[in-house]
Amino acid sequence: MMKTRQDAIQYCLNFENVYEDYPFSDLNWTCMRHLENRKVYAWIFERQGNIWINVKGTRGWLDFFREKYDSVVPGYHLSKEHWNSIILDGTVSLEDIQAMIQESYDLTLPKRKQKKLVD
């Protein structure tokens, strides 16, 4: 189960060459970044009494998860075409949360590392 900000941060820190960042004076916003290119692969924040995670995705998967779960919605404060928000209210399976974070991580890797994933 992933319910808290710390749960989300700890999971995201398991990825290779990443770090936790607080880019705004509002400490509600945590982002998880790649060391090499500084791209964000997860935004973690509290909203409406729950922790939310914004993740990047491909069109087909974004739509799939939005249709599968009421608690996966178009990205809050981000491009609705490229990002989803996962609301950690206990209704989204841990496996699907992890899959969405993994895809976001992979999509934001430095380009040369993305190529290695495809080769």
Side-chain angles (χ1 to χ4, degrees):
M1 176 73 54
M2 190 180 302
K3 286 277 283 188
T4 69
R5 177 188 305 269
Q6 204 52 44
D7 291 341
I9 291 169
Q10 282 309 121
Y11 180 76
C12 289
L13 285 173
N14 287 321
F15 290 93
E16 187 175 310
N17 296 319
V18 299
Y19 67 100
E20 177 182 352
D21 191 16
Y22 293 84
F24 308 122
S25 58
D26 179 357
L27 296 181
N28 182 42
W29 288 87
T30 306
C31 66
M32 306 305 296
R33 296 182 186 267
H34 293 275
L35 274 171
E36 194 170 328
N37 64 8
R38 297 188 36 83
K39 285 191 176 181
V40 175
Y41 66 96
W43 291 94
I44 302 166
F45 56 98
E46 185 173 345
R47 182 167 192 262
Q48 298 172 333
N50 289 300
I51 297 299
W52 292 39
I53 306 172
N54 285 350
V55 291
K56 192 168 192 171
T58 54
R59 189 89 210 121
W61 284 116
L62 291 170
D63 291 338
F64 172 80
F65 287 115
R66 288 175 191 175
E67 290 172 17
K68 184 173 181 179
Y69 296 107
D70 290 337
S71 293
V72 176
V73 297
Y76 179 71
H77 272 314
L78 294 172
S79 166
K80 311 309 187 222
E81 287 184 51
H82 301 287
W83 293 81
N84 271 348
S85 292
I86 309 164
I87 304 167
L88 300 184
D89 62 1
T91 64
V92 181
S93 76
L94 179 60
E95 294 77 19
D96 284 345
I97 293 169
Q98 291 173 339
M100 287 184 269
I101 294 171
Q102 178 71 58
E103 182 183 35
S104 187
Y105 173 85
D106 291 344
L107 288 171
T108 53
L109 279 166
K111 292 295 183 207
R112 63 184 174 73
K113 290 188 179 178
Q114 284 183 18
K115 185 176 181 336
K116 286 181 185 176
L117 288 176
V118 175
D119 291 344

